[in-house]
């Protein structure tokens, strides 16, 4: 038998490639994150036509015009989309336990912000009212995770 006669099945090699990097947040996202850390306040920016965009951007996503004033919005809002993750994948999802990605339109905002619901994720529906659960004082570090999650708002 010669080498040319040997039949070999295609082989695969499974490996994980990572590209850790650090980048600047820029002035707009930096101020947004500082508001989460230092004030427990969520800020949006007003765009042409008066809409408030959260999370804030430097330019309007509708017409490309520059955003103007900073506007505080509530840390409570309405869920506009839900995607439940029943079997999280390690290193792909932020948690090992089931949770839901949610889009929340905070009161005072005209766009929705992506975040998560953990504690009562199976009960969160489109139209549910949710509120932010903040990290403790001294533990917030200027990250979207300064809001630990959103939970269903209970009538008081």
């Amino acid at each position: 038998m010669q080498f040319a006669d040997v039949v070999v099945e295609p082989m695969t090699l499974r490996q994980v490639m990572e590209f850790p990097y650090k980048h600047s947040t820029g002035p707009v996202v930096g101020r947004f994150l500082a508001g989460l850390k230092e004030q427990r306040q969520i800020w949006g920016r007003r765009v042409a036509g008066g809409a408030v965009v959260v999370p804030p951007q430097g330019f309007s996503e509708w017409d490309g015009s520059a955003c103007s004033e900073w506007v505080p919005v509530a840390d409570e809002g309405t869920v506009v989309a839900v995607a439940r993750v029943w079997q999280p994948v390690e290193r792909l999802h932020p948690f090992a336990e089931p949770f839901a990605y949610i889009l929340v339109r905070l009161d005072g905002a005209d766009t929705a912000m992506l975040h998560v619901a953990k504690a009562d994720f199976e009960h969160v529906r489109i139209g549910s009212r949710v509120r932010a659960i903040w990290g403790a004082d001294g533990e917030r570090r200027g990250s979207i995770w300064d809001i630990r999650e959103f939970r269903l708002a209970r009538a008081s």
Side-chain angles (χ1 to χ4, degrees), residues 55-76:
Q57 300 178 10
F59 296 90
S60 167
E61 60 190 59
W62 288 298
D63 63 6
S65 64
C67 293
S68 59
E69 68 181 308
W70 287 88
V71 179
V73 298
D75 64 357
E76 185 169 321

Side-chain angles (χ1 to χ4, degrees), residues 21-123:
Y21 61 95
K22 182 177 182 179
H23 67 93
S24 170
T25 60
V28 174
V29 174
R31 182 169 174 180
F32 170 73
L33 295 175
L36 300 179
K37 177 184 176 185
E38 297 164 10
Q39 302 171 315
R40 290 177 54 155
Q41 176 64 58
I42 302 170
W43 292 89
R45 288 194 77 186
R46 190 170 309 282
V47 298
V52 175
V53 177
V54 176
Q57 300 178 10
F59 296 90
S60 167
E61 60 190 59
W62 288 298
D63 63 6
S65 64
C67 293
S68 59
E69 68 181 308
W70 287 88
V71 179
V73 298
D75 64 357
E76 185 169 321
T78 303
V79 174
V80 298
V82 180
R84 292 183 186 86
V85 178
W86 295 101
Q87 296 179 338
V89 176
E90 183 179 350
R91 299 167 56 123
L92 177 64
H93 294 112
F95 310 107
E97 306 81 28
F99 68 99
Y101 286 111
I102 58 174
L103 284 175
V104 181
R105 183 177 303 127
L106 298 168
D107 295 347
D110 294 291
T111 59
M113 182 173 87
L114 177 66
H115 214 284
V116 298
K118 292 170 36 183
D120 43 14
F121 77 97
E122 68 275 4
H123 301 292

